[in-house]
Amino acid sequence: MATMAIYRRRRRMLHHGILIALQLLLVIIVMLPFLWMFSVSIKPANEPFSIPPRLWPENPTLDNYESALYPEFGRYFLNSVIVSVLTMILSISVGLLAAYGFGRFNFPGLRALLIAIILAQMFPIATMIIPLYKIMNSLGLINTYAALVLAYLTLTLPVSIWMLRGFIRNIPPDLEEAAMVDGCTRLQAFWRLVVPLARPGIAATAVWIAVVTWQEFLFALAFTTTRDMRTISVGMSDFQGQFGIRYGELMASSVMVSVPIIVLFFFLQRYFVAGLTAGATKG
Amino acid sequence: MKKLLVLVLAAALVLPVFSLSAIAQEVVTIEFWDNQQSESGLSQYQQAAVEEFEAANPNIKVNVVTVPYTEYQDRLVIAVRGGTPPDVSTVDQIWNYGFATGGAIIPLDDYIAQSEILSQDTFFPGAWDSAAFDGQVWGIPFNIDVWQFTFYNADLLEAAGVDPESLTTWEGLKAAGEALTNVGEGQYGVGLFGHLGEDTVVVMNSFVYSNGGSVLNEDGSCALDQPEAMEALEYLVSLLPYAPEGAANAGSGDMRELFLNGSLAMEWWPALEQPTLLGSDLNWDFVVGTAPEGKTPVGTLGGWNLVIYEQSQHQDEAWQFIEFLTSKDINGKVVDLIPANIEAAEAFLAEERVGPDRILDHLNNARPRPLSPEYLQVSTIEQEMMQALFTGTSVEDAVANACEQINALLEE
Amino acid sequence: MTSTQQTQRLDTVGSRPRRYSPSSDLRLALLFIVPAVVLVAILMYYPMGRAFQESLYTTPKTSWLSVDPSQVYVGLEHYTNLVNDDVFKQVLGNSLKWTVTVVLFQNLIGLAAAVLLDQKLPGRGIMRALVLLPWVLPGVVNAILWRFMYDPQLGLINSLLIGAGITADKTPWLAQPSTALWALIVAAIWKGFPFSTVMYLAALQGVDHEQLEAAHIDGANGAQRFRHITIPAISGIIRLNLLLTTIWTFNYFDLIWVTTRGGPLKSTHIFPTIIYNTGFGEFGNFGKAAAYGVIAVLVLLVFAVLYLRELRRSEVL
C-alpha cells in the first residue's frame, strides 16, 4: 500500500510538472512579442536595430516615452475614454432592454428578429462606411463623439444583446412575477429586480465593449476630422509617415495605449469570467 | 406661453448675428487639409504661417486639419463622397488627375490669369505639368522632390574599395553591390523594395526613364514592353542577390533601419531622407541617380499640389490662401519636401539640404509619373509587377501580364 | 450557477426546455426591443441596403467623386464580372483558407489553454491574466508589432528560428506568396485565441464536478471524461464561439492591411481588404466594392446558417 501511495504521489508530481511546464510555454509564447515591444520602446532613437535583434537595448532610455507624450496624446487618450464609456452606457442600456424583451417574451417573429440582429454583425465595415458617413453628416454629427458612439454601436450592440440575454435567462422569472403580483409594473420589476441581478453580466459586457472600442480604427478615422476629436488608435498614426515608421516612439505609445486597457482587464477579468459563466453556460 | 418662449429664444439667437455683420465685414472660415508627415515637426511652422495669413487677411480664418499620411487618400475620398470636403487641400500629384475628372475639384485657370503673385514660371516645370491636363490647370504645385538619389555608407564603400562615382552607372552600381554584399554576415549591397506602395513605383520608373523608356505611351497604352523598359527591369532583377531578403514586402522605410545599422551599403531615397540621416552617426553621402554608361540619370518626380474643391463655398478665399502658401517667402517654411516655388526652393535647399546644386540638377532633369485619370490602377499594376519580378517571375511574363491589365484599363 | 439549475439544464438536454412562462403582452415586448431594433435598422441594415443598391449601379469616371454622382443602372453586371474574375476566385479562396484555419486553431488552442488554466496549479491567477493580453492589445499595434516580428533581418522570429537551428536562412515570411498568408494566420491566432480561452474557461466552470468524479470512480480516464462529459456540457459555448469567431475572422482587416495590404501578388487579400482597396484605393470603383461586400455577406451567411441550426439544436437560441 505504501509503495502504491508513493507511486501515485510521484505520478501526480510528474503530472503537475508537465502541466506547469506547458503553462510556462504558453505564457512565454504570449509574452515574447510584448517583451520585444517594450524593448524597442526603451531603445534610444540613435541606437540602430541590431542583427540579430536583442531583447534588451544597450542603453535603455525613457526618451521615447517622453516624446510620445506630446500634448495631443493626452487629448487622444481622453477622447478614447469618453467614447468608450459613452458607448458602454448606451450599448448596455439599449442592450439590457432588448435582452429582457428577447429573453422573457415569446412571440412569433421575435426569434427571427434576434437572429437578424446577430447576423447584422456580418456586414463588412468597409462597405457600410460611406452610407454611414452620409447619415452622420445629415444629422450634423461628423467630428463629434456622438458619431463615434453611434458607429461603435454597430460593433457592440448585437453582441451586447446576445450576452445580456444569456444572463437574463438565468434569472428565475418567479421573482418578477411575485413582484408584479405585489403591484409592481413590468418596468419596475425589470428595473428593481432584473437589472441588479444582471450586474455580473453587465460588468462582463462592459469589459468586452471597452476592449472593442479602445481598438477601433476605421470609424474613428472616418468620422472625426480635427485632431482634438481623434481617438488614441488613430493618433498612433502620428508616428507613421509616408516612408517609414518611428518605431521607438510608436512602441512607447503602444505600451502606453495598451497599459490602461490591460490594467482595467486585469482588475475586471474575474467579473468578466464570472459574468460569462453565469450567462454563457446556459445551453 | 411656449410659443412666446420660442420667439424670444429665436430672437436672442438671431439678433447678435445681424448686429455683428452690420458692424464688421463677415468673417469667412476656410478648411485646409494636409497630410501629416511624421518625419518633421512641420505642423508648428504651418500654424505660424496660418497665423501670419490670418493677420494679413482679417476676414479669413483658416482651420487646419492634418490627416495621417497612410489614410489621407481614403479620408479625402470619404469626405468628398460624403459631401463634406475641405475648401482647399494638398493632394498627391498622382491623385490630381483623378480628382479633376471625378468632379471633386475646379480648374484654376481664371484665378491664375488674374493673379499678381503667381504664374506658371514661378514653379518647377515638372511640378506644374503634374496639374496641367485636358487643357486646364487643376492645382498649384506646393512641394516637390525627386526619386532617387543613391545614398551610400561612405565607410563601407571605402573599406570595400568602391569609388562612389562608379555608382552612377548601371555597371558600376552592380559591381559595387557585389563587392559590398556578404549575405552570411548580414551585409547587403543595395536595398531593393517592392511592397505595395508608391516608393516601389518611383524607383522602378526612374530606372526605366534613365534607359530612355516609358511606362505609358502617348495614347495611354502600356510601354513597359518596349526594350528600354524591359532592360531596366532585367537590370533591377539582376540586383536581387545583393539585396536584403524579402524585397517583395519591403518598403524604403524598412531599408532605412538596415542602412542606419550599417548592414546596408546603398539605398535609394529622395532628398527628404537627408534630415533623418543627418540625425544619425553615419558617415554618408549621395550620388545623383544611376543610368547605363553614356546616358544621363533621369529621376521620377513626386510631390503635392494644392487644389480647390467644387463644393467649397469660399473658393476665392481658398485661392488667396493658395497664393500665400506658395509664395516665395512662405513656401519654404511650410513644406518638408522641396518647395515647388523655384525661388523658395533655392533658398530652402541652400539652408536645409546637403549638395543643393546636385539636387537641383537632378530635379530639373526628372520626369513625372504618367498623367492619367486611372493612374492609381496603373500604379497598383506596376507594384504587383515588381512583386512578381522579386518573387521569381520572368521579366517577359511579368511585363506581358502587366501590359495586358494596363491596356484593359484603356478599353473600359 | 447553482447545482439545481445545473441538473435542470442537464435534464433538458435533447428535449425542449421548460419555457419561462413568457408574458403575452406584445406591446410591452415591443417597448423593450424597439430601441435596439431601430438602432440596428438605421445603423446597420440601412447602410447595407444602400451598399446593395450601389452594387447595382456603376459610377462614370466623370463623376465618381461628386456628392451626387450620375449613376448608371447595370443590374447584376458587377456580380457576373466578379464571378468570372480570377482575382475574385483568389480572394474567395484566401478568405476560406484564412477563416477556417484561424477559427479552427484559435478554438483548439483556446480550449487547450482553458483546460490548462483550469487546473489547480500555483500562480493560476497571474497566468490567466497574462495569457489574455494579446486579445486586449489594440489591433493596429498588433499588426505593426507582427510586421516587425516577421522582418527578415531585424525580426525576432527569424533570429529565434535560426538560433534554434530550425531554419538556416533568413526567411522573408511576408514577402513570399507561398508563406505570407500562413504567417498572418499565425499572428491572427496569437491575437485571437485568448478570447476563446476566456469563453471556454467560463464554460468549464459550469461543468458538473460530481459527474466527473463519478466517472472517475467508474474508471473513465481523463480523455474519456473530457470527451463524454466536458465536451457535451460546453458544446453550446463551443458553437457560439465558433459563430462569433467566424464572423470576426472573416471580417478581419487591420492585421492584413498594415502588414501586406493584401500582397504579395494578392496572396493575402481577403474580402475586407479587397473591398477597402477597391472602394478607396482605386478612386471610386464603388459599385464593384459594394458587390464584393454583398458577396462577402452571402458567403458568411452560409456559415452562419449552419451554426444557427446547431445553436438552435443546443437550445442556446
Side-chain angles (χ1 to χ4, degrees):
Chain A
M1 269 329 264
T3 47
M4 195 66 186
I6 290 173
Y7 171 72
R8 242 191 230 153
R9 198 182 308 153
R10 274 211 188 133
R11 247 189 68 155
R12 184 169 301 164
M13 273 173 66
L14 184 71
H15 192 65
H16 263 201
I18 292 173
L19 287 177
I20 289 175
L22 279 174
Q23 270 200 359
L24 280 177
L25 182 72
L26 187 68
V27 168
I28 287 172
I29 289 173
V30 163
M31 288 312 290
L32 213 54
F34 283 98
L35 274 181
W36 204 39
M37 177 168 127
F38 181 68
S39 112
V40 174
S41 78
I42 54 171
K43 183 183 78 66
N46 62 355
E47 182 180 319
F49 286 102
S50 61
I51 301 179
R54 176 210 323 252
L55 266 184
W56 197 254
E58 239 170 300
N59 303 300
T61 168
L62 290 178
D63 286 355
N64 288 323
Y65 286 84
E66 221 173 281
S67 47
L69 269 177
Y70 57 111
E72 284 93 344
F73 191 85
R75 179 76 206 197
Y76 299 158
F77 194 91
L78 183 71
N79 289 338
S80 274
V81 172
I82 293 174
V83 172
S84 285
V85 169
L86 290 178
T87 308
M88 238 184 250
I89 293 173
L90 195 59
S91 191
I92 287 180
S93 9
V94 176
L96 255 182
L97 284 172
Y100 187 77
F102 287 118
R104 281 288 190 264
F105 297 90
N106 192 16
F107 285 105
L110 214 53
R111 189 205 301 266
L113 212 51
L114 177 64
I115 292 174
I117 289 177
I118 305 286
L119 290 188
Q121 274 190 99
M122 301 188 313
F123 304 159
I125 292 181
T127 310
M128 299 200 297
I129 216 157
I130 286 179
L132 262 180
Y133 188 97
K134 286 184 174 168
I135 296 176
M136 302 296 178
N137 190 31
S138 61
L139 296 173
L141 295 180
I142 294 298
N143 208 32
T144 64
Y145 293 131
L148 287 189
V149 172
L150 285 176
Y152 286 177
L153 282 184
T154 67
L155 303 173
T156 62
L157 188 55
V159 180
S160 301
I161 294 173
W162 178 273
M163 280 171 76
L164 291 167
R165 175 175 160 275
F167 295 106
I168 284 177
R169 292 218 306 184
N170 266 7
I171 300 168
D174 324 1
L175 287 173
E176 297 145 69
E177 275 154 24
M180 284 190 291
V181 170
D182 291 347
C184 264
T185 65
R186 189 104 199 186
L187 264 175
Q188 283 169 328
F190 167 75
W191 183 244
R192 287 187 198 155
L193 288 167
V194 177
V195 173
L197 283 173
R199 255 187 309 212
I202 293 174
T205 313
V207 172
W208 183 81
I209 293 171
V211 171
V212 171
T213 53
W214 194 258
Q215 306 193 11
E216 203 286 330
F217 180 79
L218 268 186
F219 284 142
L221 173 81
F223 299 151
T224 61
T225 326
T226 56
R227 290 184 91 173
D228 62 340
M229 287 305 294
R230 213 164 269 172
T231 64
I232 204 145
S233 56
V234 178
M236 307 252 311
S237 298
D238 287 1
F239 305 109
Q240 299 173 65
Q242 186 171 6
F243 306 117
I245 295 174
R246 289 193 293 181
Y247 279 109
E249 286 157 46
L250 183 71
M251 289 302 157
S253 69
S254 301
V255 171
M256 290 191 286
V257 168
S258 310
V259 163
I261 195 82
I262 289 172
V263 168
L264 179 82
F265 195 76
F266 194 82
F267 284 108
L268 291 180
Q269 67 144 331
R270 194 182 330 156
Y271 300 100
F272 188 63
V273 175
L276 282 175
T277 318
T281 45
K282 187 74 214 164
Chain B
M1 189 58 204
K2 234 183 200 169
K3 270 187 193 158
L4 191 67
L5 199 67
V6 171
L7 268 178
V8 172
L9 268 177
L13 282 173
V14 172
L15 274 178
V17 177
F18 276 113
S19 49
L20 265 181
S21 57
I23 299 165
Q25 198 187 346
E26 200 180 347
V27 174
V28 162
T29 302
I30 59 170
E31 204 166 282
F32 166 57
W33 283 23
D34 190 13
N35 80 102
Q36 202 169 292
Q37 290 284 358
S38 66
E39 281 83 358
S40 59
L42 192 61
S43 50
Q44 70 197 71
Y45 299 107
Q46 284 191 344
Q47 202 50 51
V50 163
E51 275 156 30
E52 195 178 328
F53 176 76
E54 287 175 339
N57 301 276
N59 63 323
I60 309 177
K61 288 254 166 292
V62 182
N63 257 344
V64 182
V65 171
T66 54
V67 180
Y69 169 78
T70 34
E71 285 81 28
Y72 187 43
Q73 180 193 327
D74 317 331
R75 191 64 187 80
L76 273 175
V77 170
I78 292 172
V80 169
R81 287 267 297 176
T84 56
D87 297 285
V88 50
S89 86
T90 56
V91 292
D92 196 321
Q93 287 177 356
I94 53 176
W95 311 339
N96 210 155
Y97 210 143
F99 270 58
T101 48
I105 55 174
I106 58 167
L108 303 174
D109 300 77
D110 292 346
Y111 286 117
I112 296 165
Q114 288 166 22
S115 176
E116 291 163 8
I117 299 175
L118 63 83
S119 69
Q120 182 169 353
D121 304 334
T122 314
F123 303 97
F124 288 103
W128 186 267
D129 290 345
S130 73
F133 36 79
D134 296 347
Q136 283 174 304
V137 179
W138 297 84
I140 299 298
F142 185 47
N143 57 27
I144 189 168
D145 209 327
V146 54
W147 287 77
Q148 70 272 358
F149 300 93
T150 308
F151 290 83
Y152 59 86
N153 182 324
D155 294 339
L156 289 176
L157 260 68
E158 204 185 313
V162 174
D163 174 16
E165 274 314 305
S166 73
L167 307 183
T168 54
T169 67
W170 280 12
E171 298 74 13
L173 182 74
K174 192 168 169 182
E178 195 172 355
L180 290 158
T181 300
N182 184 341
V183 175
E185 307 252 302
Q187 285 295 329
Y188 304 96
V190 58
L192 294 177
F193 47 86
H195 75 148
L196 296 179
E198 204 55 35
D199 43 357
T200 297
V201 177
V202 283
V203 166
M204 182 268 274
N205 286 4
S206 74
F207 275 89
V208 171
Y209 295 163
S210 297
N211 196 34
S214 290
V215 175
L216 299 185
N217 294 312
E218 290 280 309
D219 63 355
S221 64
C222 181
L224 289 168
D225 51 5
Q226 301 300 308
E228 294 85 359
M230 303 259 287
E231 276 168 32
L233 297 173
E234 203 79 68
Y235 175 73
L236 279 173
V237 173
S238 76
L239 296 178
L240 263 182
Y242 319 123
E245 303 86 352
N249 197 47
S252 56
D254 301 307
M255 293 302 114
R256 170 186 303 150
E257 305 298 341
L258 294 177
F259 190 79
L260 289 177
N261 76 11
S263 45
L264 181 61
M266 300 176 287
E267 185 52 80
W268 301 312
W269 284 301
L272 174 68
E273 191 64 20
Q274 288 193 10
T276 309
L277 297 178
L278 284 170
S280 75
D281 305 331
L282 281 182
N283 180 14
W284 60 273
D285 203 344
F286 68 93
V287 295
V288 174
T290 306
E293 190 82 56
K295 293 186 181 172
T296 314
V298 179
T300 309
L301 287 171
W304 297 77
N305 298 338
L306 290 159
V307 298
I308 298 178
Y309 286 81
E310 174 81 42
Q311 297 171 54
S312 165
Q313 302 294 314
H314 308 296
Q315 294 173 340
D316 293 349
E317 287 81 3
W319 173 257
Q320 277 177 270
F321 188 57
I322 288 183
E323 284 187 323
F324 173 80
L325 284 180
T326 56
S327 64
K328 178 168 73 95
D329 297 331
I330 299 299
N331 200 193
K333 293 183 195 166
V334 290
V335 293
D336 47 6
L337 301 174
I338 301 160
N341 180 313
I342 298 174
E343 281 181 79
E346 280 160 358
F348 175 90
L349 288 174
E351 195 157 315
E352 305 275 339
R353 296 285 184 265
V354 177
D357 298 336
R358 285 181 282 167
I359 296 175
L360 265 181
D361 278 351
H362 201 30
L363 195 58
N364 282 316
N365 196 29
R367 281 172 60 185
R369 280 158 283 172
L371 278 174
S372 155
E374 275 106 19
Y375 177 74
L376 290 181
Q377 276 99 319
V378 173
S379 170
T380 306
I381 295 167
E382 290 179 78
Q383 291 164 32
E384 288 190 342
M385 180 185 78
M386 293 315 288
Q387 294 198 323
L389 290 176
F390 288 160
T391 51
T393 309
S394 72
V395 173
E396 288 74 30
D397 291 351
V399 165
N401 184 17
C403 276
E404 189 185 328
Q405 292 183 57
I406 289 175
N407 292 334
L409 283 178
L410 199 63
E411 285 162 21
E412 264 176 29
Chain C
M1 171 152 282
T2 65
S3 59
T4 36
Q5 269 175 302
Q6 194 54 245
T7 6
Q8 190 185 8
R9 190 182 58 73
L10 286 169
D11 289 343
T12 57
V13 168
S15 65
R16 294 207 58 81
R18 196 163 52 92
R19 283 264 160 227
Y20 319 112
S21 55
S23 162
S24 54
D25 190 341
L26 180 60
R27 261 190 305 179
L28 202 55
L30 286 179
L31 185 73
F32 279 104
I33 62 169
V34 151
V37 170
V38 168
L39 281 170
V40 169
I42 294 178
L43 296 173
M44 304 181 82
Y45 276 89
Y46 171 76
M48 195 60 214
R50 289 304 296 259
F52 175 68
Q53 189 188 8
E54 177 109 51
S55 75
L56 303 177
Y57 287 81
T58 197
T59 314
K61 283 167 190 170
T62 46
S63 73
W64 63 26
L65 284 175
S66 11
V67 213
D68 279 313
S70 54
Q71 293 182 310
V72 183
Y73 181 79
V74 293
L76 296 178
E77 195 182 303
H78 289 303
Y79 293 92
T80 49
N81 286 347
L82 275 190
V83 174
N84 296 318
D85 188 350
D86 287 341
V87 176
F88 171 78
K89 284 170 200 154
Q90 198 178 354
V91 168
L92 182 64
N94 289 343
S95 278
L96 294 179
K97 214 188 288 180
W98 163 266
T99 307
V100 170
T101 325
V102 172
V103 169
L104 186 71
F105 282 96
Q106 165 171 340
N107 280 278
L108 279 179
I109 297 175
L111 182 57
V115 171
L116 196 59
L117 293 172
D118 197 37
Q119 310 292 322
K120 291 195 181 63
L121 292 172
R124 185 160 76 153
I126 186 94
M127 292 283 185
R128 279 187 185 182
L130 289 179
V131 166
L132 300 180
L133 290 185
W135 178 53
V136 189
L137 185 70
V140 177
V141 177
N142 177 59
I144 292 167
L145 184 60
W146 277 91
R147 187 177 199 282
F148 203 28
M149 296 265 297
Y150 278 125
D151 188 289
Q153 293 81 32
L154 304 170
L156 201 54
I157 291 183
N158 267 343
S159 93
L160 287 177
L161 290 175
I162 293 171
I166 298 172
T167 52
D169 301 327
K170 292 174 181 137
T171 316
W173 298 101
L174 296 177
Q176 308 176 137
S178 55
T179 53
L181 188 63
W182 298 109
L184 292 180
I185 284 175
V186 170
I189 294 171
W190 180 84
K191 172 95 169 74
F193 91 86
F195 175 77
S196 304
T197 301
V198 189
M199 294 285 277
Y200 292 131
L201 209 47
L204 288 175
Q205 312 309 308
V207 177
D208 189 350
H209 281 271
E210 283 168 32
Q211 218 182 337
L212 284 174
E213 279 299 308
H216 189 47
I217 290 165
D218 290 345
N221 66 27
Q224 286 168 328
R225 276 172 291 168
F226 187 71
R227 187 167 139 47
H228 294 291
I229 300 173
T230 310
I231 292 283
I234 64 171
S235 65
I237 294 298
I238 294 178
R239 287 171 179 138
L240 173 62
N241 226 341
L242 287 175
L243 174 67
L244 289 178
T245 49
T246 302
I247 292 178
W248 294 336
T249 307
F250 192 87
N251 281 332
Y252 221 130
F253 175 74
D254 45 18
L255 177 63
I256 295 177
W257 194 247
V258 172
T259 49
T260 64
R261 294 208 157 211
L265 299 176
K266 301 200 168 76
S267 61
T268 59
H269 252 315
I270 61 171
F271 276 104
T273 55
I274 198 89
I275 293 168
Y276 195 80
N277 197 46
T278 313
F280 298 113
E282 295 179 357
F283 278 159
N285 231 328
F286 299 107
K288 186 176 164 194
Y292 259 121
V294 172
I295 294 183
V297 173
L298 293 178
V299 173
L300 208 39
L301 202 58
V302 174
F303 281 101
V305 167
L306 292 177
Y307 288 136
L308 283 173
R309 266 184 30 199
E310 286 295 312
L311 280 173
R312 249 196 106 160
R313 205 170 292 159
S314 61
E315 301 299 340
V316 175
L317 197 68

